[in-house]
Amino acid sequence: MATRWQIDRPALGAFLRRRREALSPEGMAPPSTTRRRTPGMRREEVADLAGMSVNYYERLERATGPQPSDAVLDAIARTLRLSDDEIAHLYALAGHGAPRRAPAAHTVDPGLRIALDALAPDTAGLVLGRTGEVLATNVLGAAIFGGMSAGNIVERWFTDRAWRDSLSPPDDQEPTSRAYVADLRASLGGDGDPAAEAFIRRMRTASAQFSDLWDQHEVAVIRAGTKVLLHPRGRLDLECAVLPGQEPGQRLTLFRAAAHTPTAARLPLIAASCGPA
């Protein structure tokens, strides 16, 4: 059940009225035989398309109605063709937490793409989806992670031991495994996404370590920190940061050389030795 807070009836009514008046009835409402006195759609047209009584919808606009349910808000949002930002605002005015948006499959968040393309040559970047799928990377990111410009970084970590050993020192592997699984728990949040649930089932079958860690129910989002990675050109001491995007679950993970380490000289050489990602 969704969490509810106090409803702001006057603001909700005004918002609904303004959005209704701004929506053209062409192609949505049946042709009218009478002249329209007001712009936009009529209340009865919105109510009919949203599957509710005219009286109920009118009371919402007049700030005298009950607190609407998630289902009612969803129907109104679809009828009024609200944007994601407007939907979040609608839910807030109605006293609800914003609905969780479905992730856009394999579509890179535009803001994260701009940030990725603007990275300095000595900064590695990967755009990851909510279950660890690699959606985009720059040249240095692909080079550091062993050509990981596609696929799923979490899945490969737990199922490709040779790649994992080539990338991470032995002492770092257990903490990294725990961090990946705890971050997955935090990212998915038990929201019932079928694709995510299928991924978890596949991982539990493919990796006993993953299954054991999943059963421990540790929850922690991966944020800024430090990381040691292995590379043919030498050890890489890296500072890491994670920037969330607007698309649900997408994040840009950044890696740059830790201060006062030989890594600063190694990263440009690694990038120069590789072709485009």
Side-chain angles (χ1 to χ4, degrees):
M1 181 177 293
T3 302
R4 296 192 178 193
W5 294 279
Q6 185 174 357
I7 180 175
D8 187 340
R9 286 183 174 82
L12 175 62
F15 178 70
L16 292 176
R17 184 175 66 257
R18 292 297 187 185
R19 292 303 91 214
R20 174 177 58 80
E21 292 174 349
L23 188 62
S24 171
E26 295 181 8
M28 294 188 64
S32 176
T33 58
T34 60
R35 183 172 178 270
R36 291 179 179 269
R37 299 178 181 177
T38 58
M41 295 185 67
R42 294 168 174 160
R43 292 189 184 96
E44 57 268 27
E45 292 169 342
V46 172
D48 181 61
L49 291 172
M52 62 190 67
S53 71
V54 177
N55 176 263
Y56 183 93
Y57 182 78
E58 286 180 341
R59 290 174 63 198
L60 290 178
E61 281 202 8
R62 292 169 178 166
T64 60
Q67 183 174 29
S69 66
D70 281 355
V72 167
L73 294 175
D74 180 62
I76 291 174
R78 283 187 284 104
T79 300
L80 297 181
R81 298 182 177 179
L82 301 184
S83 68
D84 290 330
D85 291 341
E86 289 170 335
I87 291 172
H89 184 62
L90 170 68
Y91 271 67
L93 293 178
H96 291 259
R100 184 187 290 270
R101 292 169 53 205
H106 306 296
T107 300
V108 180
D109 180 282
L112 296 186
R113 168 62 76 179
I114 292 173
L116 180 67
D117 292 344
L119 293 178
D122 60 354
T123 301
L126 297 92
V127 178
L128 302 178
R130 66 200 306 241
T131 60
E133 61 272 26
V134 179
L135 302 177
T137 181
N138 65 356
V139 172
L140 188 54
I144 288 177
F145 286 91
M148 196 77 196
S149 57
N152 188 295
I153 200 166
V154 174
E155 184 171 16
R156 190 171 184 185
W157 175 267
F158 284 99
T159 61
D160 187 344
R161 189 57 186 260
W163 176 77
R164 175 169 157 177
D165 288 343
S166 71
L167 184 69
S168 179
D171 291 347
D172 284 356
Q173 293 189 17
E174 177 66 18
T176 300
S177 297
R178 287 186 173 278
Y180 277 148
V181 176
D183 183 73
L184 266 178
R185 278 273 183 200
S187 175
L188 303 185
D191 62 358
D193 175 35
E197 291 181 349
F199 175 78
I200 298 302
R201 288 195 299 270
R202 185 171 76 249
M203 288 301 304
R204 287 173 70 93
T205 300
S207 170
Q209 183 192 25
F210 179 93
S211 187
D212 289 342
L213 290 173
W214 187 257
D215 287 338
Q216 294 181 29
H217 290 265
E218 295 179 356
V219 181
V221 175
I222 294 177
R223 295 188 174 91
T226 59
K227 187 75 175 173
V228 175
L229 296 178
L230 305 178
H231 191 271
R233 288 188 177 270
R235 167 181 165 135
L236 302 178
D237 294 275
L238 302 166
E239 296 176 344
C240 310
V242 180
L243 306 179
Q246 293 299 310
E247 288 295 336
Q250 289 193 21
R251 293 171 290 180
L252 172 60
T253 305
L254 305 175
F255 303 87
R256 70 177 184 181
H260 312 299
T261 69
T263 302
R266 291 175 181 150
L267 291 184
L269 297 176
I270 293 172
S273 67
C274 300

